[in-house]
């Protein structure tokens, strides 16, 4: 990879100064056009957006869930109580 960059650097140095300036000018103009495009896109999107916030009721997801007929039990207290009874 380093050899590739060395070859590119050598090719760049061989170019006449006038050609180097022209290439740099083209890169700079391309960069300016890209920057102007991004700024105009952001400006357009922000000016297009609505500034109102819709306030709605938040649904509780637990009420929508089908509950099983069996109740959940605390297994930790069940295990702890069993150990108490076994030790007696």
């Amino acid at each position: 990879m380093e050899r590739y960059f060395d070859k590119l650097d050598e090719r760049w140095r061989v170019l006449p100064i006038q050609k180097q300036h022209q290439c740099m000018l083209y890169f700079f103009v391309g960069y300016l056009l890209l920057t102007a495009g991004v700024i105009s896109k952001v400006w357009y999107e922000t000016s297009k957006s609505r500034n109102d916030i819709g306030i709605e009721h938040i649904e509780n997801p637990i009420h929508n869930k089908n509950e099983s007929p069996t109740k959940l039990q605390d297994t930790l207290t069940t295990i702890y109580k069993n150990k108490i009874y076994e030790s007696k």
Side-chain angles (χ1 to χ4, degrees):
M1 186 105 171
E2 191 172 326
R3 284 190 313 170
Y4 175 73
F5 287 124
D6 288 339
K7 283 182 183 180
L8 278 178
D9 187 45
E10 188 64 35
R11 286 177 56 193
W12 177 256
R13 290 176 191 265
V14 170
L15 284 175
I17 297 292
Q18 185 73 19
K19 200 70 157 169
Q20 287 180 3
H21 283 241
Q22 188 178 12
C23 286
M24 290 303 294
L25 184 65
Y26 287 148
F27 285 131
F28 184 68
V29 167
Y31 175 75
L32 282 179
L33 288 174
L34 184 65
T35 303
V38 168
I39 289 174
S40 64
K41 174 75 173 161
V42 169
W43 177 72
Y44 174 73
E45 291 293 325
T46 56
S47 67
K48 188 176 78 168
S49 69
R50 299 183 340 200
N51 290 331
D52 59 335
I53 297 174
I55 300 174
E56 298 176 2
H57 179 70
I58 299 173
E59 298 283 332
N60 190 349
I62 295 176
H63 292 291
N64 295 337
K65 193 166 54 167
N66 293 334
E67 293 185 25
S68 66
T70 60
K71 284 190 169 186
L72 296 175
Q73 296 179 356
D74 187 9
T75 56
L76 185 61
T77 57
T78 306
I79 293 170
Y80 185 67
K81 286 180 182 177
N82 286 340
K83 285 189 178 186
I84 291 174
Y85 291 123
E86 289 175 0
S87 65
K88 288 183 177 180

